[in-house]
């Protein structure tokens, strides 16, 4: 028996339950979680914005220690530190063969599997593949990557989603160049990672936009040179900070129609707007034909930061070890499993950065 946070049905509150995990079968790995980040995508599963089979154990951003491996697993062994990869690529579909592994056709094929059972025998699914909101989990071998050396394992959990997404949005999707101006909309965990990534890219000015004035200190610590409180005049304020032109790049990390539209309007003629936030079908964004022609902006969706975890984790880890990227600065609350519902409430209220569920004391070296 291990404790886990279970979503019994869409729209229902999370329940902390005892669950029974199977032993790892061929091609599987059992992991004891050190930490798991609470991401807005988990909230999107609870309210039905993203749909997966339920009941499910949620959580997709995590790191821990390998307890056991099944037959055929050779890239990790018991005792190894690992980062969970919730969207593993198959390497064989069309997107994988052309280098777009973040769009792998089978990345979420595992969500329909039976992951575990609760004490009453109810079958549970693995949320977004890895079921990280639990003391232990059993995952496919391609859902674990060796943890980078020299990084505390609890903080390494953030590499599994927030950092890959925020860093990738800046460096892969928007392809920010030195000296370009960047506006980041939404100063949560992903937004804070995007701000740090913009600083690493030597962008300037780097403008953070949020509805909460309390986010300014967090934003500036992450690399923002300017902070704009979201309002009807956000686009005008950003133009005033960028020589009257607008930002070269806007990164939207909220997933709401008004912020996507606001990010677009804040971008200069010929600029790039990258949408990271996941919105529901009811969030309709409209443009008229003349403005598309006139402004010649690029509006791009961004999945998982357009990242290849196997390629990008070592690069990001080197930024962390060199002090250019501060994982701890993303975390504003360290909680237990029982604190996840309150963390969801904080996200809905626009408070704080990343909440981190910590299961066991940190180890520094791997």
């Amino acid at each position: 028996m291990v404790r886990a946070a279970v979503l019994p049905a869409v729209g229902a509150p999370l329940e902390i339950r005892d669950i029974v995990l199977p032993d790892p079968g061929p091609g599987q790995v059992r992991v004891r979680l050190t930490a798991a980040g609470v991401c807005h995508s988990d909230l999107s599963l609870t309210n039905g914005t993203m749909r997966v089979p339920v009941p499910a154990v949620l959580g997709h951003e995590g790191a821990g220690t390998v307890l056991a491996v099944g037959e055929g697993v050779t890239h990790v062994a018991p005792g190894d530190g690992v980062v969970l990869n919730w969207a593993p690529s198959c390497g064989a579909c069309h997107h994988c063969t052309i280098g777009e592994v973040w769009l792998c056709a089978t990345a979420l094929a595992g969500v329909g599997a039976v992951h575990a059972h609760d004490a009453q025998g109810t079958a549970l699914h693995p949320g977004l593949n890895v079921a990280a909101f639990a003391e232990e989990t059993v995952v496919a071998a391609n859902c674990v990557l060796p943890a980078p050396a020299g990084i505390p394992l609890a903080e390494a959990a953030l590499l599994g989603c927030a950092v890959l997404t925020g860093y990738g949005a800046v460096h892969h999707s928007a392809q920010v160049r030195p000296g370009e101006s960047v506006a980041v909309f939404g100063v949560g965990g992903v937004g804070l990672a995007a701000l740090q990534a913009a600083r690493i890219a030597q962008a300037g000015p780097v403008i953070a936009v949020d509805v909460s004035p309390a986010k300014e200190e967090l934003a500036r610590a992450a690399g923002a040179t300017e902070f704009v409180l979201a309002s009807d005049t956000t686009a005008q304020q950003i133009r005033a900070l960028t020589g009257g032109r607008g930002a070269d790049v806007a990164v939207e990390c909220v997933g709401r129609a008004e912020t996507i539209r606001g990010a677009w309007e804040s971008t200069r003629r010929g600029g790039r707007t990258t949408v990271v936030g996941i919105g529901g079908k009811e969030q309709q964004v409209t443009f008229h034909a003349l403005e598309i022609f006139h402004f010649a902006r690029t509006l791009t969706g961004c999945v998982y930061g357009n990242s290849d975890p196997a390629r990008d984790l070592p690069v990001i880890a080197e930024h962390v070890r060199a002090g250019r990227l501060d994982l701890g600065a993303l975390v504003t609350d360290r909680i237990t499993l029982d604190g996840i519902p309150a963390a969801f409430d904080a996200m809905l209220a626009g408070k704080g950065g990343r909440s981190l569920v910590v299961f066991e004391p940190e180890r520094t070296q791997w």
Side-chain angles (χ1 to χ4, degrees):
M1 288 279 192
V2 298
R3 296 178 75 236
V6 175
L7 177 67
V10 172
L14 283 185
E15 299 176 359
I16 308 302
R17 299 185 189 175
D18 288 331
I19 67 169
V20 180
L21 286 169
D23 292 330
Q28 291 186 320
V29 179
R30 185 166 183 143
V31 177
R32 181 176 66 241
L33 272 296
T34 297
V38 182
C39 178
H40 204 280
S41 296
D42 298 308
L43 184 60
S44 295
L45 295 177
T46 69
N47 61 27
T49 298
M50 297 170 64
R51 290 206 173 257
V52 295
V54 290
V57 179
L58 298 190
H60 63 281
E61 177 184 272
T65 305
V66 174
L67 293 177
V69 299
E71 180 183 350
V73 178
T74 59
H75 72 297
V76 294
D80 288 350
V82 292
V83 175
L84 299 182
N85 175 17
W86 64 271
S89 55
C90 69
C93 72
H94 174 72
H95 288 292
C96 286
T97 58
I98 63 173
E100 296 176 348
V101 299
W102 53 92
L103 298 179
C104 176
T106 63
L108 294 180
V111 301
V114 174
H115 171 71
H117 293 81
D118 67 12
Q120 286 70 47
T122 303
L124 305 173
H125 300 286
L128 291 179
N129 277 327
V130 296
F133 287 167
E135 294 168 330
E136 296 178 12
T137 187
V138 174
V139 300
N142 61 356
C143 287
V144 297
L145 295 166
I151 297 175
L153 198 52
E155 293 183 358
L158 302 169
L159 298 173
C161 185
V163 177
L164 275 172
T165 300
Y167 180 91
V170 169
H171 288 269
H172 301 322
S173 179
Q175 298 183 10
V176 174
R177 299 180 288 269
E180 288 193 309
S181 53
V182 175
V184 176
F185 286 69
V187 185
V190 173
L192 289 168
L195 288 169
Q196 293 202 47
R199 179 175 60 189
I200 290 170
Q202 302 177 50
V206 177
I207 305 162
V209 182
D210 201 275
V211 296
S212 171
K215 295 287 187 76
E216 181 171 0
E217 184 178 351
L218 278 174
R220 291 190 181 275
T225 59
E226 310 289 343
F227 182 84
V228 171
L229 193 62
S231 71
D232 293 339
T233 64
T234 295
Q236 294 94 310
Q237 292 181 71
I238 290 176
R239 282 195 289 273
L241 293 168
T242 53
R245 297 180 299 276
D248 294 304
V249 171
V251 180
E252 197 275 353
C253 302
V254 182
R256 298 181 63 186
E258 56 265 41
T259 50
I260 295 171
R261 178 74 207 193
W264 162 271
E265 292 176 352
S266 300
T267 310
R268 67 166 173 83
R269 287 189 77 185
R272 290 105 67 200
T273 303
T274 290
V275 178
V276 179
I278 301 172
K281 294 179 180 179
E282 76 284 357
Q283 298 291 325
Q284 297 289 316
V285 188
T286 60
F287 308 91
H288 61 72
L290 183 59
E291 69 179 319
I292 293 174
F293 162 78
H294 174 75
F295 289 109
R297 297 166 176 147
T298 301
L299 179 68
T300 306
C302 178
V303 176
Y304 205 6
N306 292 10
S307 293
D308 178 346
R311 174 198 66 196
D312 293 330
L313 275 185
V315 175
I316 294 171
E318 185 53 37
H319 286 307
V320 175
R321 287 190 290 263
R324 292 184 292 267
L325 199 157
D326 183 357
L327 297 176
L330 275 63
V331 180
T332 52
D333 297 281
R334 292 176 183 253
I335 62 175
T336 65
L337 270 177
D338 300 281
I340 295 174
F344 282 174
D345 291 340
M347 278 194 291
L348 284 170
K351 296 179 180 178
R354 207 48 143 206
S355 293
L356 190 66
V357 181
V358 179
F359 294 94
E360 63 178 17
E362 299 179 16
R363 288 177 60 183
T364 301
Q365 299 293 332
W366 290 96

